[in-house]
Amino acid sequence: MNTDIPFQVVHVTGARPNFPKAAPVVRALDGCGVRQRLVHTGQHYDERMSDVFFRQLGLPEPDENLAVGSGSHASQTGEIMVGLERLFGASRPGLVVVYGDVNSTLAATLVATKLGIPVAHVEAGLRSFNRSMPEEINRLVTDRLAELLFATSPDALVHLGNEGIAAEKVHFVGNPMIDTLLANLHLFDASAIGRQLTLPQRYAVATLHRPANVDDPADAAELVKVMHGVADQIQLVVPLHPRGRETLANAGFFRHPGIRVIDPLGYIEFLSLVRGARAVITDSGGVQEETTVLGVPCLTLRSETERPVTISHGTNRLVTREDLVESVVRLLSTERPTAGWPVPPLWDGHAGERIAEVIARFIGAHAEGGASAGHPSAS
Ligand code: UD1
Ligand code: UDP
C-alpha cells in the first residue's frame, strides 16, 4: 500500500458480515493511494467464519489480529476496546472505518471517539426499532458518534435525519456488500455446488443465527418443529452458524431426512448455493440483501427488518414461525422469477468507490492536522 500520504485509515473488522463490506472499500482506497491498515478483532475466528473470506475476497492479511474470541457482550466488547486503545495509542490513525452493527463496530467506535479520532461508519442508519437486538444498540451508538456516515438505502437517510444527525455528515453511497456480490457473480456456480453436495434440482437454503431464534431452548424447539414442516415440502440445506448448533441439535433439528445441516460455507460456495435455491429462509441481514439482488425469494424469520428496501425493492418477506410453512407452500406453487426484478437504488457495484471518494476528500481536508485532527466535520 502507498505510504506517501502520512494520514492513515484503519479499518476495524471482526465478524463474518464485516468482510464482504470491507473488501470493496479497502480496494477502492488502495486505488486512491491511501495509506491503510486492517485490524481483525478476532470476534469470529473459525476458518469458515473468517479466513476463507480473506482468501476469497482478496482482502489483505490483517495487520493486527486482537484474537479476542467469544464471550459475553461486555467481555467481548471490553476486550476489543482494550486491544484497540493499545493499538491506536501506539500508532494513531487519522480515521477509523467501521462496518455494520457487530460488537467490533461498537467497540472501535467508542475507543476511537474517546481518543479524538474520527470514525466513518459503513452501513449507517439502518434501524429495526427493536432494542432487544444487540445490533440495534450498536447501530444507534455508532451512528451517534461517527463523523462520516455511509448509507446503503434511502430509509437510512430518513432515520439519521430524524435522530438529528447533520446531513453533511451523511453520504448515500449504495451497498458495498453488493459490490462484492456483483464482483464475484461469475463465480457463483449453482450446478457445481449442487453436484458437490448431491442436491436435488429443487432445494431451499436456510440460515439461522439470531439470538431470538436459536438461543432459548423453548424457542429453538418451536423453530425446529416448523423447519421440519418446511422440510416435508422441500429439501432444506442449512449451512449452520456455530451459535445455534448445540441448541438446535438438542431440539432434534438434524433428525429429519429432508434437512441437510452442513458447516458454514465459504463466500463463493454459499452464494452459489443461494443462487440455485428455490427459496431462502433466513434471519441474516446480509442474506436478505443478497437474495434481493440474485432474485431468489427470501422469507425472513423475524418480526421486523432494518432492511425494508429488500421488501419494497426486493424478494424479501417477513414471516413468523406460525406462517412459515404456509408461506413456503404458497411460494412453491408459483414460478421463481428469472429476470426483471427491481434492485434498490445505487446497489450497482460502485459503493466502495463512492465511499473512497468521500474519504479521500475528508483526508484532503484534514491530512494537514494529520493524526491530531480531532473531530473535524465532514467536507
Ligand atoms: C455476531 C453479530 C451479529 C451477526 C453475526 C454474523 C454481535 C453482537 N453479533 O453474532 O450481529 O449477525 O455475528 O455471523 O456482534 N462462534 C464460533 N466460532 C466463531 C465465532 C463464533 O464457534 O468463529 C460461536 C461461539 O460459541 C460464540 C457464538 O458463536 O459464543 C456467538 O458468536 P458472537 O460473535 O458472540 O455472536 P454471533 O452470534 O456470531
Ligand atoms: N455467508 C457465507 N457462508 C455462510 C453463511 C453466510 O459466506 O455459510 C456470508 C453471506 O454473504 C452473508 C454474510 O456471510 O451475507 C454475513 O452473514 P451472517 O448471516 O453471518 O451475518 P448478518 O448479515 O446477519 O450480520
Side-chain angles (χ1 to χ4, degrees):
M1 288 180 191
N2 191 320
T3 52
D4 293 338
I5 308 166
F7 192 102
Q8 190 181 65
V9 170
V10 173
H11 305 264
V12 178
T13 62
R16 178 165 74 178
N18 292 160
F19 310 130
K21 294 168 194 172
V25 181
V26 171
R27 195 171 314 116
L29 282 172
D30 227 7
C32 300
V34 170
R35 190 165 158 244
Q36 327 183 53
R37 280 154 60 83
L38 181 63
V39 176
H40 192 320
T41 64
Q43 177 174 345
H44 285 177
Y45 42 84
D46 289 346
E47 215 283 326
R48 286 162 173 269
M49 298 294 287
S50 173
D51 303 28
V52 65
F53 293 88
F54 283 77
R55 280 201 308 280
Q56 294 191 341
L57 304 182
L59 272 166
E61 278 285 300
D63 295 285
E64 297 281 344
N65 190 327
L66 302 177
V68 299
S70 304
S72 70
H73 283 274
S75 67
Q76 187 178 60
T77 308
E79 272 194 54
I80 299 170
M81 289 179 70
V82 170
L84 289 177
E85 190 177 54
R86 177 179 48 76
L87 274 188
F88 296 169
S91 169
R92 189 180 168 89
L95 179 72
V96 169
V97 186
V98 297
Y99 296 86
D101 52 20
V102 301
N103 284 347
S104 302
T105 314
L106 172 70
T109 301
L110 287 172
V111 170
T113 306
K114 289 203 165 187
L115 290 172
I117 301 164
V119 170
H121 184 205
V122 173
E123 202 185 83
L126 298 187
R127 295 290 180 269
S128 66
F129 299 100
N130 176 353
R131 290 198 185 183
S132 73
M133 288 182 77
E135 295 83 2
E136 185 74 353
I137 311 297
N138 295 347
R139 293 180 198 120
L140 283 164
V141 176
T142 301
D143 286 339
R144 190 75 242 167
L145 299 177
E147 284 297 326
L148 291 177
L149 296 97
F150 295 113
T152 54
S153 56
D155 53 288
L157 304 177
V158 175
H159 299 147
L160 293 170
N162 289 344
E163 288 169 24
I165 308 281
E168 60 270 23
K169 292 183 176 181
V170 181
H171 302 268
F172 178 34
V173 290
N175 192 336
M177 187 90 164
I178 299 307
D179 289 13
T180 296
L181 181 140
L182 295 176
N184 290 285
L185 192 58
H186 62 291
L187 299 174
F188 302 156
D189 186 341
S191 317
I193 193 80
R195 279 195 303 278
Q196 192 184 319
L197 297 175
T198 49
L199 295 176
Q201 191 66 23
R202 209 182 70 140
Y203 64 88
V205 175
T207 80
L208 299 161
H209 72 276
R210 290 284 155 218
N213 280 330
V214 303
D215 276 12
D216 174 60
D219 284 335
E222 281 302 309
L223 179 62
V224 164
K225 241 190 274 164
V226 172
M227 294 306 278
H228 285 185
V230 173
D232 289 338
Q233 304 297 324
I234 186 166
Q235 165 80 46
L236 208 47
V237 191
V238 190
L240 193 57
H241 188 291
R243 181 178 196 106
R245 180 167 270 274
E246 198 181 327
T247 317
L248 289 173
N250 290 343
F253 188 43
F254 301 15
R255 278 187 247 119
H256 188 294
I259 291 189
R260 176 92 179 274
V261 178
I262 57 178
D263 284 338
L265 287 170
Y267 180 80
I268 303 297
E269 293 76 13
F270 179 72
L271 269 305
S272 299
L273 184 70
V274 168
R275 190 180 203 176
R278 185 65 189 81
V280 170
I281 298 162
T282 193
D283 55 15
S284 157
V287 175
Q288 294 173 61
E289 298 181 342
E290 292 158 340
T291 46
T292 277
V293 174
L294 292 173
V296 177
C298 180
L299 300 172
T300 296
L301 246 178
R302 285 180 44 192
S303 46
E304 73 285 304
T305 178
E306 62 289 327
R307 291 163 163 91
V309 77
T310 60
I311 297 176
S312 59
H313 289 68
T315 55
N316 191 18
R317 239 163 29 79
L318 296 177
V319 289
T320 61
R321 283 200 294 254
E322 289 68 35
D323 63 24
L324 177 63
V325 176
E326 196 195 317
S327 301
V328 169
V329 170
R330 231 179 306 125
L331 196 153
L332 294 178
S333 69
T334 61
E335 290 291 308
R336 188 186 138 180
T338 51
W341 52 86
V343 171
L346 295 191
W347 288 20
D348 59 359
H350 298 289
E353 294 148 39
R354 292 188 196 99
I355 292 169
E357 258 171 50
V358 175
I359 291 180
R361 277 208 304 277
F362 182 87
I363 294 174
H366 303 289
E368 193 78 346
S372 58
H375 284 253
S377 54
S379 53

